[in-house]
């Protein structure tokens, strides 16, 4: 295909994608040094509509090191209708860490497995991945580097790392083969290309981008492997069993509650300061029935924290910007830095609760979300995050009493909405969804704490005591 024709067709496809906002494109460029990657990339950036394109050549920063490994990439995943180009990207992190012996063979394999999960999640959310490995033999590489060094007009483009990569050529070649084989999938295949000049390379890359742009978008009901449910956790809690027919009518008296609350908040204040000193990130997730007391419990926790060290994220319906990204994007962006707390008043579990019950997510999407949630939480734990997951449960009778009290109290009426009554009408549907959520996501290192909340005071104490327990086990080195 002639250059001008190819360029026009690629630009036309990009503008059509921008108009439809039906998919995003990620172009991953990796491979050997001196393979004409950068001149080709400069040309490609002129071919594309650069207002709809972002190029990322990321060096790890101190801010990146304070978050889980994929955080810096998740926050840069392009919105639907746009293109993101990554130079080496998540592959460079794994490849060069292994080449420089900063990680071992087992850790390298783990990184590749993590990448497969990551890319499967992106592809299922209509992020099309075009992965290009730029190859060159070692002799030609040395000749190109020498020619650049001897040419004053190009010598400035050389970096000491280029010569290091030349010395590592056999090793990068050896590591690149299993890297590509392990991460080559139907939804994210590798294309290995080479060329004698940037013009040759840009034709090959543009043709692959054009092929991708012309493919149909992903059907949300497509039978992705990760849509299959995992075996249920045998020790998972059950909201059905949380309220037997005959509960004790005893309630915690106010004086006892106030004394114990002060003690637990002092304990939490100490534990949180020590976590900040050691750089331990903390993520607390609060889900639960309407009127169960999530806000009150969160308030009792934050009252013991340094206001500079925490953020409360109240998760509602996604914004227009969030709808243009994969559903997990808005949660990755909100992860705390080391030594900080992130508290989620509702969370990523909305995908398998309200989105499932209300039909906002297709069955294949919410089934797939169980595996994606497990992968997400695994990334948090690998980074050393303390993860607490709390489901605040309330009996149906007690919920009705609280709804009526809100309706009759002017200062509390804003808390009661039509949505609350609609959710109550689907109590049984939510109960099924909640119990399946427990079965699929209650794991040894990321367990659910089911808090019964008919007694508000007892529930608030139990939440703060469990937060203290999580922090102290981590501070003592038990988790």
């Amino acid at each position: 295909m002639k250059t001008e024709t190819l360029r026009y067709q690629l630009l036309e496809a990009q503008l059509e994608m921008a108009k439809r906002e039906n998919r995003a494109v990620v172009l991953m460029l990796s491979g050997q040094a001196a393979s004409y990657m950068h001149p080709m990339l400069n040309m490609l950036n002129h071919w594309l509509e650069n207002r709809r394109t972002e190029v990322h050549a990321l060096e790890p920063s101190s801010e990146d090191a304070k978050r889980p490994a994929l955080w810096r990439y998740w926050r840069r995943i392009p919105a639907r209708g746009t293109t993101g180009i990554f130079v080496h990207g998540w592959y460079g992190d794994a490849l060069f860490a292994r080449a420089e012996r900063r990680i071992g063979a087992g850790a390298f394999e783990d990184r590749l497995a993590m990448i497969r999960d990551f890319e499967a999640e992106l592809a299922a959310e209509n992020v099309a991945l075009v992965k290009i490995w730029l190859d060159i033999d070692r002799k030609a590489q040395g000749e190109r580097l020498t020619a650049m060094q001897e040419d004053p007009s190009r010598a400035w483009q050389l970096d000491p790392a280029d010569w290091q990569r030349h010395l590592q050529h056999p090793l990068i070649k050896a590591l690149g083969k299993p890297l590509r084989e392990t991460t080559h999938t139907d939804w994210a295949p590798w294309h290995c290309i080479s060329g004698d000049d940037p013009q040759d390379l840009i034709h090959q890359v543009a043709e692959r981008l054009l092929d991708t742009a012309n493919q149909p978008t992903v059907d949300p009901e497509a039978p992705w492997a990760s849509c299959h449910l995992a075996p249920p956790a045998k020790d998972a809690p059950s909201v059905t069993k949380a309220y037997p027919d005959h509960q004790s009518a005893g309630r915690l008296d106010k004086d006892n509650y106030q004394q114990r609350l002060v003690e637990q908040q002092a304990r939490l204040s100490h534990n949180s300061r020590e976590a900040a000193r050691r750089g331990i990130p903390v993520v607390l997730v609060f889900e639960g029935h309407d009127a169960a007391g999530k806000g009150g419990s969160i308030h009792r926790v934050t009252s013991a924290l340094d206001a500079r060290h925490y953020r409360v994220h109240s998760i509602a319906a996604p914004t227009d910007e969030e709808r243009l990204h994969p559903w997990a994007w808005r949660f990755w962006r909100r992860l705390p830095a080391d030594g900080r707390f992130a508290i989620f008043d509702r969370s990523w579990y909305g995908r398998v609760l309200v989105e499932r019950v209300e039909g906002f997510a297709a069955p294949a999407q919410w089934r797939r979300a169980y595996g994606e949630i497990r992968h997400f939480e695994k990334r948090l734990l690998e980074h050393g995050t303390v993860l607490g997951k709390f489901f605040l449960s309330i009996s149906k009778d007690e919920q009705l009493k609280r709804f009526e009290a809100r309706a009759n109290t002017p200062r509390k009426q804003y808390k009661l909405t039509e949505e609350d009554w609609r959710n109550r009408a689907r109590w049984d549907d939510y109960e099924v969804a909640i119990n399946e959520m427990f079965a699929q996501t209650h794991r040894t290192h990321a367990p659910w704490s089911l808090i019964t909340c008919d007694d508000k005071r007892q529930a608030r104490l139990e939440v703060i005591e469990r937060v203290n327990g999580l922090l102290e086990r981590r501070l003592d080195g038990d988790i």
Side-chain angles (χ1 to χ4, degrees), residues 146-445:
T146 300
M148 289 177 65
Q149 185 170 282
E150 294 175 350
D151 182 350
S153 67
R154 294 191 297 157
W156 63 271
Q157 299 175 359
L158 274 178
D159 187 276
D162 293 324
W163 285 108
Q164 181 184 356
R165 300 290 177 236
H166 177 56
L167 294 173
Q168 293 174 330
H169 184 284
L171 179 58
I172 291 173
K173 180 179 180 180
L175 292 172
K177 187 173 185 292
L179 178 146
R180 296 191 301 276
E181 290 175 347
T182 302
T183 58
H184 180 92
T185 59
D186 291 341
W187 56 85
W190 276 103
H191 305 280
C192 190
I193 68 174
S194 60
D196 292 330
D197 60 67
Q199 191 72 33
D200 183 17
L201 291 177
I202 197 172
H203 271 251
Q204 297 182 65
V205 172
E207 286 170 355
R208 283 156 179 80
L209 284 171
L210 191 57
D211 287 344
T212 299
N214 291 329
Q215 290 175 2
T217 55
V218 171
D219 180 355
E221 294 286 355
W224 294 83
S226 57
C227 288
H228 300 300
L229 300 182
K234 294 180 181 179
D235 60 343
S238 167
V239 74
T240 308
K241 300 175 182 177
Y243 289 93
D245 293 336
H246 302 287
Q247 291 192 92
S248 170
R251 301 281 177 128
L252 188 64
D253 68 84
K254 187 173 183 179
D255 290 341
N256 188 10
Y257 164 69
Q258 290 291 356
Q259 180 183 347
R260 289 174 59 187
L261 179 63
V262 169
E263 292 170 352
Q264 289 300 321
Q265 287 180 328
R267 181 180 162 200
L268 178 56
S269 179
H270 168 78
N271 288 332
S272 65
R273 290 196 307 273
E274 184 62 17
R277 187 183 71 82
R278 298 192 195 180
I280 297 171
V282 182
V283 170
L284 303 180
V285 172
F286 286 84
E287 294 286 350
H289 291 123
D290 295 324
K294 293 185 297 297
S297 293
I298 290 171
H299 177 67
R300 271 64 184 184
V301 170
T302 57
S303 294
L305 304 179
D306 185 328
R308 297 169 298 176
H309 293 169
Y310 74 85
R311 287 286 304 275
V312 177
H313 303 286
S314 184
I315 303 301
T319 64
D320 290 342
E321 181 187 22
E322 289 167 345
R323 288 190 182 95
L324 291 174
H325 289 84
W327 72 274
W329 177 79
R330 62 178 176 150
F331 304 112
W332 274 95
R333 294 173 69 226
R334 290 172 165 89
L335 292 181
D338 290 350
R340 299 292 185 263
F341 278 64
I343 300 172
F344 289 87
D345 182 354
R346 301 204 183 277
S347 68
W348 41 96
Y349 284 99
R351 187 70 157 183
V352 297
L353 293 176
V354 65
E355 291 186 43
R356 166 186 174 168
V357 175
E358 302 298 336
F360 299 142
Q365 291 176 311
W366 59 256
R367 289 193 187 102
R368 190 180 72 241
Y370 292 125
E372 294 170 345
I373 286 169
R374 290 193 297 269
H375 294 152
F376 173 54
E377 294 179 350
K378 184 178 181 182
R379 303 286 86 83
L380 301 186
L381 296 170
E382 287 172 345
H383 184 67
T385 303
V386 172
L387 175 62
K389 304 191 298 188
F390 301 92
F391 191 91
L392 276 56
S393 178
I394 190 174
S395 67
K396 198 171 184 180
D397 289 343
E398 181 65 20
Q399 185 189 63
L400 181 58
K401 291 178 185 177
R402 295 185 187 179
F403 277 12
E404 291 174 342
R406 287 180 176 182
N408 295 325
T409 306
R411 66 184 175 84
K412 292 186 177 181
Q413 287 174 353
Y414 76 94
K415 293 184 176 183
L416 188 63
T417 67
E418 288 300 321
E419 184 179 350
D420 294 326
W421 290 109
R422 187 173 68 251
N423 291 345
R424 178 176 170 79
R426 304 196 67 175
W427 182 278
D428 292 342
D429 294 332
Y430 273 100
E431 192 168 86
V432 170
I434 292 162
N435 284 333
E436 188 165 273
M437 174 190 76
F438 287 151
Q440 290 293 312
T441 62
H442 179 82
R443 293 296 183 265
T444 302
H445 297 294

Side-chain angles (χ1 to χ4, degrees), residues 67-82:
R67 304 300 202 298
L70 290 173
W71 175 79
R72 65 195 185 115
Y73 299 115
W74 263 107
R75 61 196 295 261
R76 292 174 172 89
I77 290 300
R80 289 197 300 276
T82 66

Side-chain angles (χ1 to χ4, degrees), residues 24-35:
V25 172
V26 166
L27 172 61
M28 172 65 66
L29 298 173
S30 193
Q32 297 281 7
S35 53

